[in-house]
Coordinates of all heavy atoms in Angstrom, one line a residue:
M1 N -4.0 -9.0 -3.4 CA -3.0 -8.2 -4.1 C -1.8 -8.0 -3.1 O -2.0 -7.7 -2.0 CB -3.6 -6.9 -4.5 CG -2.6 -5.9 -5.1 SD -3.3 -4.3 -5.4 CE -3.5 -4.4 -7.1
C2 N -0.6 -8.0 -3.6 CA 0.6 -7.7 -2.8 C 0.9 -6.2 -3.0 O 1.0 -5.8 -4.1 CB 1.8 -8.5 -3.3 SG 1.6 -10.3 -3.0
L3 N 1.1 -5.6 -1.9 CA 1.4 -4.1 -1.9 C 2.8 -3.9 -1.4 O 3.2 -4.4 -0.4 CB 0.4 -3.4 -1.1 CG -1.1 -3.4 -1.5 CD1 -2.0 -2.8 -0.5 CD2 -1.3 -2.7 -2.8
A4 N 3.5 -3.0 -2.0 CA 4.7 -2.4 -1.4 C 4.3 -1.0 -1.1 O 3.9 -0.2 -2.0 CB 5.8 -2.5 -2.4
I5 N 4.4 -0.6 0.1 CA 3.9 0.7 0.6 C 5.1 1.6 1.0 O 5.9 1.1 1.8 CB 3.0 0.5 1.8 CG1 1.8 -0.5 1.4 CG2 2.4 1.8 2.3 CD1 1.1 -1.0 2.6
P6 N 5.1 2.8 0.5 CA 6.2 3.7 0.9 C 6.0 4.2 2.4 O 4.8 4.4 2.8 CB 6.0 4.9 0.0 CG 5.1 4.5 -1.1 CD 4.3 3.4 -0.5
G7 N 7.1 4.3 3.1 CA 7.0 4.8 4.4 C 8.3 5.6 4.7 O 9.3 5.3 4.2
K8 N 8.2 6.6 5.6 CA 9.3 7.4 5.9 C 9.8 7.1 7.3 O 9.1 7.0 8.3 CB 8.9 8.9 5.9 CG 10.0 9.9 6.2 CD 9.6 11.3 6.1 CE 10.7 12.3 6.2 NZ 10.3 13.6 6.0
I9 N 11.1 6.8 7.4 CA 11.8 6.4 8.7 C 11.8 7.7 9.6 O 12.4 8.7 9.2 CB 13.2 5.9 8.5 CG1 13.1 4.5 7.7 CG2 13.9 5.6 9.8 CD1 14.4 3.9 7.3
V10 N 11.2 7.5 10.7 CA 11.2 8.6 11.7 C 12.1 8.4 12.9 O 12.5 9.3 13.6 CB 9.7 9.0 12.2 CG1 8.9 9.5 11.0 CG2 9.1 7.8 12.8
D11 N 12.5 7.1 13.1 CA 13.4 6.8 14.2 C 14.0 5.4 14.0 O 13.3 4.5 13.6 CB 12.6 6.8 15.5 CG 13.5 6.8 16.7 OD1 14.7 7.2 16.6 OD2 13.0 6.4 17.8
L12 N 15.3 5.4 14.2 CA 16.0 4.1 14.2 C 16.0 3.6 15.7 O 16.4 4.4 16.6 CB 17.4 4.2 13.7 CG 17.5 4.6 12.3 CD1 19.0 4.9 11.9 CD2 17.0 3.6 11.3
L13 N 15.5 2.4 16.0 CA 15.3 2.0 17.3 C 16.6 1.5 17.9 O 17.3 0.7 17.4 CB 14.2 0.9 17.4 CG 12.9 1.3 16.8 CD1 11.9 0.2 16.9 CD2 12.3 2.5 17.5
T14 N 16.9 2.1 19.1 CA 18.2 1.8 19.7 C 18.3 0.4 20.3 O 19.4 -0.2 20.4 CB 18.5 2.8 20.8 OG1 17.5 2.8 21.8 CG2 18.7 4.2 20.2
E15 N 17.1 -0.2 20.7 CA 17.2 -1.5 21.3 C 17.4 -2.6 20.3 O 17.9 -3.7 20.6 CB 15.9 -1.8 22.1 CG 14.6 -2.0 21.2 CD 13.9 -0.7 20.9 OE1 14.4 0.4 21.2 OE2 12.8 -0.8 20.3
D16 N 17.2 -2.3 19.0 CA 17.4 -3.3 17.9 C 17.6 -2.5 16.6 O 16.7 -2.0 16.0 CB 16.2 -4.2 17.8 CG 16.5 -5.3 16.8 OD1 17.4 -5.2 16.0 OD2 15.7 -6.3 16.8
R17 N 18.9 -2.3 16.2 CA 19.2 -1.5 15.1 C 18.6 -2.0 13.8 O 18.7 -1.4 12.8 CB 20.7 -1.3 15.0 CG 21.3 -0.6 16.1 CD 20.9 0.9 16.3 NE 21.4 1.7 15.2 CZ 21.1 3.0 15.0 NH1 20.3 3.6 15.9 NH2 21.6 3.7 14.1
S18 N 18.1 -3.2 13.8 CA 17.5 -3.7 12.5 C 16.0 -3.3 12.5 O 15.3 -3.7 11.5 CB 17.6 -5.3 12.5 OG 16.8 -5.9 13.5
L19 N 15.5 -2.6 13.4 CA 14.2 -2.1 13.4 C 14.1 -0.5 13.4 O 15.0 0.1 13.9 CB 13.4 -2.5 14.7 CG 13.1 -4.0 14.8 CD1 12.4 -4.3 16.2 CD2 12.3 -4.6 13.7
A20 N 13.1 0.0 12.7 CA 12.9 1.4 12.7 C 11.4 1.7 12.8 O 10.6 0.9 12.5 CB 13.3 2.0 11.3
M21 N 11.1 2.9 13.4 CA 9.8 3.4 13.4 C 9.6 4.1 12.1 O 10.3 5.0 11.8 CB 9.6 4.3 14.6 CG 8.1 4.7 14.8 SD 7.1 3.3 15.2 CE 7.8 2.7 16.7
V22 N 8.5 3.8 11.4 CA 8.3 4.3 10.1 C 6.8 4.9 10.1 O 5.9 4.3 10.6 CB 8.4 3.2 9.0 CG1 8.1 3.8 7.6 CG2 9.8 2.6 9.0
D23 N 6.7 6.1 9.4 CA 5.4 6.7 9.3 C 4.9 6.3 7.9 O 5.5 6.5 6.9 CB 5.6 8.2 9.3 CG 4.2 8.9 9.2 OD1 3.7 8.9 8.1 OD2 3.7 9.4 10.2
I24 N 3.7 5.6 7.9 CA 3.1 5.1 6.7 C 1.7 5.7 6.7 O 0.8 5.3 7.5 CB 3.0 3.6 6.7 CG1 4.4 3.0 7.0 CG2 2.4 3.1 5.4 CD1 4.3 1.5 7.4
L25 N 1.5 6.7 5.8 CA 0.1 7.3 5.7 C -0.4 7.8 7.0 O -1.6 7.7 7.3 CB -0.8 6.3 5.1 CG -0.5 5.8 3.7 CD1 -1.4 4.6 3.3 CD2 -0.6 6.9 2.6
G26 N 0.5 8.4 7.8 CA 0.1 8.9 9.1 C 0.1 7.9 10.3 O -0.2 8.3 11.4
V27 N 0.3 6.7 10.0 CA 0.4 5.6 11.0 C 1.8 5.2 11.2 O 2.6 5.0 10.3 CB -0.5 4.4 10.6 CG1 -0.4 3.3 11.6 CG2 -1.9 4.8 10.4
R28 N 2.2 5.1 12.5 CA 3.6 4.7 12.8 C 3.6 3.2 13.2 O 2.9 2.8 14.1 CB 4.2 5.6 13.9 CG 4.4 7.0 13.4 CD 5.1 7.8 14.4 NE 5.4 9.1 13.7 CZ 6.2 10.0 14.2 NH1 6.9 9.8 15.3 NH2 6.4 11.2 13.6
R29 N 4.6 2.5 12.6 CA 4.8 1.1 12.9 C 6.2 0.8 12.9 O 7.0 1.4 12.2 CB 4.1 0.2 11.8 CG 2.6 0.2 11.9 CD 2.1 -0.6 13.2 NE 0.7 -0.8 13.2 CZ -0.1 -0.1 14.1 NH1 0.4 0.7 14.9 NH2 -1.3 -0.3 14.1
K30 N 6.6 -0.3 13.6 CA 7.9 -0.8 13.5 C 8.1 -1.6 12.2 O 7.2 -2.4 11.9 CB 8.2 -1.7 14.7 CG 8.3 -1.0 16.0 CD 8.6 -1.9 17.2 CE 8.6 -1.2 18.5 NZ 8.7 -2.2 19.6
V31 N 9.2 -1.4 11.6 CA 9.5 -2.1 10.3 C 10.9 -2.7 10.4 O 11.8 -2.1 11.0 CB 9.4 -1.1 9.1 CG1 9.9 -1.7 7.8 CG2 8.0 -0.6 9.0
D32 N 11.1 -3.9 9.9 CA 12.4 -4.6 9.9 C 13.2 -4.1 8.8 O 12.8 -4.1 7.6 CB 12.1 -6.1 9.8 CG 13.3 -6.9 10.0 OD1 14.4 -6.6 9.4 OD2 13.3 -7.8 10.9
L33 N 14.5 -3.7 9.1 CA 15.4 -3.2 8.1 C 16.4 -4.2 7.7 O 17.4 -3.9 6.9 CB 16.1 -1.9 8.6 CG 15.3 -0.8 9.1 CD1 16.2 0.3 9.7 CD2 14.4 -0.2 8.0
G34 N 16.3 -5.4 8.1 CA 17.3 -6.4 7.9 C 17.7 -6.7 6.5 O 18.8 -7.1 6.2
L35 N 16.8 -6.5 5.5 CA 17.1 -6.7 4.1 C 17.9 -5.6 3.5 O 18.3 -5.7 2.3 CB 15.8 -6.9 3.4 CG 14.9 -8.1 3.8 CD1 13.6 -8.1 3.1 CD2 15.7 -9.4 3.5
L36 N 18.1 -4.5 4.2 CA 18.8 -3.4 3.7 C 20.2 -3.2 4.3 O 20.7 -2.1 4.4 CB 18.0 -2.1 3.9 CG 16.6 -2.1 3.2 CD1 15.9 -0.8 3.5 CD2 16.7 -2.4 1.7
Q37 N 20.8 -4.3 4.8 CA 22.1 -4.2 5.5 C 23.2 -3.7 4.6 O 24.1 -3.0 5.1 CB 22.4 -5.6 6.1 CG 21.6 -6.0 7.2 CD 21.9 -7.3 7.8 OE1 22.8 -8.0 7.2 NE2 21.3 -7.7 8.9
D38 N 23.1 -3.9 3.4 CA 24.2 -3.4 2.5 C 24.1 -1.9 2.3 O 25.1 -1.3 1.9 CB 24.1 -4.1 1.1 CG 24.5 -5.6 1.2 OD1 25.1 -6.0 2.2 OD2 24.1 -6.3 0.3
D39 N 23.0 -1.3 2.4 CA 22.8 0.1 2.3 C 21.8 0.6 3.3 O 20.6 0.9 3.0 CB 22.3 0.5 0.8 CG 22.3 1.9 0.6 OD1 22.9 2.7 1.3 OD2 21.6 2.3 -0.4
P40 N 22.2 0.6 4.6 CA 21.2 0.9 5.7 C 20.6 2.3 5.5 O 21.3 3.3 5.3 CB 22.0 0.8 6.9 CG 23.4 0.5 6.6 CD 23.5 0.4 5.1
P41 N 19.3 2.4 5.7 CA 18.7 3.7 5.7 C 18.9 4.5 6.9 O 19.3 3.9 8.0 CB 17.2 3.4 5.5 CG 17.0 2.0 6.0 CD 18.4 1.3 5.9
S42 N 18.7 5.8 6.8 CA 18.8 6.7 8.0 C 17.5 7.3 8.3 O 16.6 7.3 7.4 CB 19.8 7.8 7.6 OG 21.1 7.3 7.3
T43 N 17.4 8.0 9.4 CA 16.2 8.8 9.7 C 15.9 9.8 8.6 O 16.8 10.4 8.1 CB 16.4 9.5 11.1 OG1 16.6 8.5 12.1 CG2 15.1 10.3 11.4
G44 N 14.7 9.8 8.2 CA 14.3 10.7 7.1 C 14.2 10.1 5.7 O 13.7 10.6 4.8
D45 N 14.9 8.9 5.6 CA 14.8 8.1 4.3 C 13.4 7.5 4.1 O 12.7 7.2 5.0 CB 15.9 7.0 4.3 CG 17.3 7.5 4.1 OD1 17.5 8.7 3.7 OD2 18.2 6.7 4.3
W46 N 13.1 7.3 2.8 CA 11.9 6.6 2.5 C 12.2 5.2 2.0 O 13.3 5.0 1.4 CB 11.2 7.3 1.3 CG 10.5 8.6 1.7 CD1 11.1 9.8 1.8 CD2 9.2 8.8 2.0 NE1 10.2 10.8 2.2 CE2 9.0 10.1 2.3 CE3 8.1 7.9 2.1 CZ2 7.7 10.6 2.7 CZ3 6.8 8.4 2.4 CH2 6.7 9.8 2.7
V47 N 11.4 4.3 2.4 CA 11.6 2.9 2.1 C 10.3 2.3 1.5 O 9.2 2.8 1.9 CB 12.1 2.0 3.3 CG1 13.5 2.4 3.7 CG2 11.2 2.1 4.4
L48 N 10.4 1.3 0.7 CA 9.2 0.5 0.3 C 9.1 -0.7 1.2 O 10.1 -1.4 1.4 CB 9.4 0.0 -1.2 CG 9.0 1.0 -2.3 CD1 9.3 0.3 -3.6 CD2 7.6 1.4 -2.2
I49 N 7.9 -0.9 1.7 CA 7.6 -1.9 2.8 C 6.6 -2.9 2.3 O 5.6 -2.5 1.7 CB 7.1 -1.2 4.0 CG1 8.1 -0.1 4.5 CG2 6.9 -2.2 5.1 CD1 7.4 1.0 5.3
H50 N 6.9 -4.2 2.6 CA 6.0 -5.2 2.3 C 6.0 -6.2 3.5 O 7.0 -6.6 4.0 CB 6.4 -6.0 1.0 CG 5.5 -7.1 0.7 ND1 4.2 -6.9 0.4 CD2 5.7 -8.5 0.7 CE1 3.6 -8.1 0.1 NE2 4.5 -9.1 0.3
V51 N 4.8 -6.4 4.0 CA 4.5 -7.2 5.2 C 5.5 -7.0 6.3 O 6.0 -7.9 7.0 CB 4.4 -8.7 4.9 CG1 3.2 -9.0 4.1 CG2 5.7 -9.3 4.2
G52 N 5.8 -5.7 6.6 CA 6.6 -5.4 7.7 C 8.1 -5.3 7.5 O 8.9 -5.1 8.4
F53 N 8.6 -5.6 6.3 CA 10.0 -5.5 5.9 C 10.3 -4.4 4.9 O 9.6 -4.3 3.9 CB 10.4 -6.9 5.3 CG 10.4 -8.0 6.3 CD1 9.3 -8.7 6.5 CD2 11.6 -8.3 7.0 CE1 9.3 -9.8 7.4 CE2 11.6 -9.4 7.9 CZ 10.4 -10.1 8.1
A54 N 11.3 -3.6 5.2 CA 11.7 -2.6 4.2 C 12.5 -3.4 3.1 O 13.4 -4.1 3.3 CB 12.6 -1.6 4.9
M55 N 12.0 -3.2 1.9 CA 12.5 -4.0 0.7 C 13.6 -3.2 0.0 O 14.5 -3.8 -0.6 CB 11.4 -4.3 -0.2 CG 10.2 -5.1 0.4 SD 10.7 -6.6 1.1 CE 10.9 -7.6 -0.3
S56 N 13.4 -1.8 -0.1 CA 14.4 -1.0 -0.8 C 14.2 0.4 -0.3 O 13.1 0.8 0.2 CB 14.2 -1.1 -2.3 OG 12.9 -0.7 -2.7
K57 N 15.2 1.2 -0.5 CA 15.2 2.7 -0.3 C 14.7 3.3 -1.6 O 15.0 2.9 -2.7 CB 16.5 3.3 0.1 CG 17.0 2.8 1.4 CD 18.2 3.4 2.0 CE 19.2 4.1 1.2 NZ 20.4 4.6 1.9
I58 N 13.9 4.4 -1.4 CA 13.4 5.1 -2.6 C 13.4 6.6 -2.3 O 13.5 7.0 -1.1 CB 11.9 4.7 -3.0 CG1 10.9 5.0 -1.9 CG2 11.9 3.3 -3.4 CD1 9.5 4.8 -2.3
G59 N 13.4 7.4 -3.3 CA 13.4 8.9 -3.1 C 12.0 9.4 -2.7 O 11.0 8.7 -2.9
E60 N 12.0 10.6 -2.1 CA 10.7 11.1 -1.6 C 9.7 11.4 -2.8 O 8.5 11.1 -2.6 CB 11.0 12.5 -0.9 CG 9.7 13.0 -0.3 CD 9.9 14.3 0.6 OE1 11.1 14.7 0.7 OE2 8.9 14.8 1.1
A61 N 10.2 11.8 -3.9 CA 9.3 12.1 -5.0 C 8.6 10.8 -5.5 O 7.4 10.7 -5.8 CB 10.1 12.7 -6.2
D62 N 9.4 9.7 -5.6 CA 8.9 8.4 -5.9 C 7.9 7.9 -4.9 O 6.8 7.3 -5.2 CB 10.0 7.4 -6.1 CG 10.8 7.6 -7.4 OD1 10.3 8.2 -8.3 OD2 12.0 7.2 -7.4
A63 N 8.2 8.1 -3.6 CA 7.3 7.7 -2.5 C 6.0 8.5 -2.7 O 4.9 7.8 -2.6 CB 7.9 8.0 -1.2
Q64 N 6.0 9.7 -2.9 CA 4.8 10.5 -3.0 C 4.0 10.1 -4.2 O 2.7 10.0 -4.1 CB 5.1 12.0 -3.0 CG 5.7 12.6 -1.8 CD 4.8 12.4 -0.5 OE1 3.6 12.4 -0.6 NE2 5.5 12.3 0.6
Q65 N 4.7 9.8 -5.3 CA 4.0 9.4 -6.5 C 3.3 8.0 -6.3 O 2.1 7.8 -6.7 CB 4.9 9.3 -7.7 CG 4.3 8.8 -8.9 CD 5.3 8.6 -10.1 OE1 6.5 8.5 -9.8 NE2 4.8 8.5 -11.3
Q66 N 3.9 7.1 -5.6 CA 3.3 5.8 -5.3 C 2.2 5.9 -4.3 O 1.2 5.2 -4.5 CB 4.4 4.8 -4.8 CG 5.3 4.4 -5.8 CD 6.2 3.3 -5.4 OE1 6.1 2.7 -4.4 NE2 7.1 2.9 -6.3
L67 N 2.2 6.8 -3.4 CA 1.1 7.1 -2.4 C -0.1 7.6 -3.2 O -1.2 7.2 -3.0 CB 1.5 8.0 -1.3 CG 2.5 7.4 -0.3 CD1 3.0 8.5 0.7 CD2 1.8 6.3 0.5
R68 N 0.2 8.5 -4.1 CA -0.9 9.1 -5.0 C -1.5 8.0 -5.8 O -2.8 7.9 -6.0 CB -0.4 10.2 -5.9 CG -0.3 11.5 -5.1 CD -0.1 12.7 -6.1 NE 1.1 12.6 -6.9 CZ 2.4 12.9 -6.5 NH1 2.6 13.4 -5.3 NH2 3.4 12.7 -7.3
M69 N -0.7 7.1 -6.4 CA -1.2 6.0 -7.2 C -2.0 5.1 -6.4 O -3.1 4.6 -6.9 CB 0.0 5.3 -7.9 CG -0.5 4.3 -8.9 SD 0.8 3.5 -9.9 CE 2.3 3.5 -8.9
L70 N -1.6 4.7 -5.2 CA -2.4 3.9 -4.4 C -3.8 4.5 -4.1 O -4.8 3.8 -4.2 CB -1.8 3.6 -3.0 CG -0.6 2.7 -3.0 CD1 0.1 2.7 -1.6 CD2 -1.0 1.2 -3.3
T71 N -3.8 5.8 -3.9 CA -5.1 6.5 -3.7 C -5.9 6.5 -4.9 O -7.1 6.2 -4.9 CB -4.9 7.9 -3.2 OG1 -4.1 7.9 -1.9 CG2 -6.2 8.7 -3.0
D72 N -5.3 6.8 -6.1 CA -6.0 6.9 -7.3 C -6.6 5.5 -7.7 O -7.7 5.4 -8.3 CB -5.1 7.4 -8.5 CG -4.7 8.8 -8.3 OD1 -5.4 9.5 -7.5 OD2 -3.8 9.3 -9.0
L73 N -5.9 4.4 -7.4 CA -6.4 3.1 -7.7 C -7.4 2.6 -6.7 O -7.9 1.4 -6.8 CB -5.2 2.1 -7.8 CG -4.2 2.4 -9.0 CD1 -3.0 1.5 -8.9 CD2 -4.9 2.2 -10.3
G74 N -7.6 3.3 -5.7 CA -8.6 2.9 -4.6 C -7.9 1.8 -3.7 O -8.7 1.1 -3.1
E75 N -6.6 1.8 -3.6 CA -5.9 0.8 -2.8 C -5.4 1.3 -1.5 O -4.8 0.6 -0.8 CB -4.8 0.2 -3.6 CG -5.2 -0.6 -4.8 CD -5.9 -1.8 -4.5 OE1 -5.8 -2.4 -3.4 OE2 -6.7 -2.3 -5.3
S76 N -5.7 2.6 -1.2 CA -5.2 3.1 0.1 C -5.8 2.4 1.3 O -5.1 2.2 2.3 CB -5.5 4.6 0.2 OG -6.8 4.9 0.1
D77 N -7.1 2.0 1.2 CA -7.6 1.2 2.3 C -6.9 -0.2 2.5 O -6.6 -0.6 3.6 CB -9.1 1.0 2.1 CG -9.9 2.2 2.4 OD1 -9.4 3.2 3.0 OD2 -11.1 2.3 1.9
A78 N -6.6 -0.8 1.4 CA -5.9 -2.1 1.4 C -4.5 -1.9 2.0 O -4.0 -2.7 2.8 CB -5.8 -2.7 0.0
A79 N -3.9 -0.7 1.6 CA -2.5 -0.4 2.2 C -2.6 -0.3 3.7 O -1.8 -0.8 4.4 CB -2.0 0.8 1.5
M80 N -3.6 0.4 4.2 CA -3.7 0.7 5.6 C -4.0 -0.7 6.3 O -3.5 -0.9 7.4 CB -4.8 1.7 5.9 CG -4.4 3.1 5.5 SD -2.8 3.6 6.2 CE -3.1 3.5 7.9
E81 N -4.8 -1.5 5.7 CA -5.1 -2.8 6.3 C -3.8 -3.6 6.4 O -3.5 -4.3 7.4 CB -6.1 -3.6 5.5 CG -6.6 -4.8 6.2 CD -7.3 -4.5 7.5 OE1 -8.0 -3.5 7.6 OE2 -7.3 -5.4 8.4
E82 N -2.9 -3.5 5.4 CA -1.6 -4.2 5.5 C -0.8 -3.7 6.6 O -0.2 -4.4 7.4 CB -0.9 -4.2 4.2 CG 0.5 -4.9 4.3 CD 1.2 -5.0 2.9 OE1 0.6 -5.0 1.9 OE2 2.4 -5.0 3.0
V83 N -0.7 -2.3 6.7 CA 0.0 -1.7 7.8 C -0.4 -2.1 9.2 O 0.4 -2.4 10.0 CB -0.1 -0.1 7.6 CG1 0.5 0.5 8.9 CG2 0.7 0.3 6.4
R84 N -1.7 -2.2 9.4 CA -2.3 -2.6 10.6 C -1.9 -4.0 11.0 O -1.8 -4.4 12.1 CB -3.8 -2.5 10.7 CG -4.2 -1.0 10.8 CD -5.8 -0.9 10.9 NE -6.2 0.4 10.6 CZ -6.6 0.8 9.4 NH1 -6.8 -0.1 8.4 NH2 -7.0 2.0 9.2
G85 N -1.7 -4.9 9.9 CA -1.4 -6.3 10.2 C 0.1 -6.6 10.4 O 0.4 -7.7 10.7
Y86 N 1.0 -5.6 10.4 CA 2.4 -5.8 10.6 C 2.5 -6.4 12.0 O 2.1 -5.8 13.0 CB 3.2 -4.6 10.5 CG 3.4 -4.0 9.1 CD1 3.9 -2.8 8.9 CD2 2.9 -4.7 8.0 CE1 4.0 -2.2 7.7 CE2 3.0 -4.2 6.8 CZ 3.6 -2.9 6.6 OH 3.7 -2.4 5.3
G87 N 3.2 -7.5 12.2 CA 3.3 -8.2 13.5 C 4.5 -7.7 14.3 O 4.9 -8.5 15.2
L88 N 4.9 -6.5 14.1 CA 6.1 -6.1 14.9 C 5.7 -5.2 16.1 O 6.6 -4.6 16.7 CB 7.1 -5.3 13.9 CG 7.6 -6.1 12.8 CD1 8.4 -5.3 11.9 CD2 8.5 -7.2 13.4
G89 N 4.5 -5.1 16.4 CA 4.0 -4.4 17.6 C 3.7 -3.0 17.3 O 4.1 -2.4 16.3
D90 N 2.9 -2.4 18.2 CA 2.5 -1.0 18.1 C 3.6 -0.1 18.6 O 4.5 -0.6 19.4 CB 1.2 -0.8 18.9 CG 0.1 -1.4 18.3 OD1 0.0 -1.5 17.0 OD2 -0.8 -1.9 19.0
P91 N 3.6 1.1 18.2 CA 4.6 2.1 18.7 C 4.6 2.3 20.2 O 3.7 2.0 20.8 CB 4.3 3.3 18.0 CG 3.1 3.2 17.2 CD 2.7 1.7 17.3

């Protein structure tokens, strides 16, 4: 199953502005923002993430609803496994 997981941007990385540190279900990972160059996110914004890439910005209410839905569907473990697999390095 392909998952798009909501995450909150906690820091824009100064060494590479196309990367951000994102909190995903309490785990922090680097995420690539390159696909959002037309509407770059800021610290505090929520984004939908797939395989380490931010795909779109979303509102906090939508992010919380999607996190609840992942839990209700029993997919939160699969979401965490995807987060652990991001190849952008540990914080």
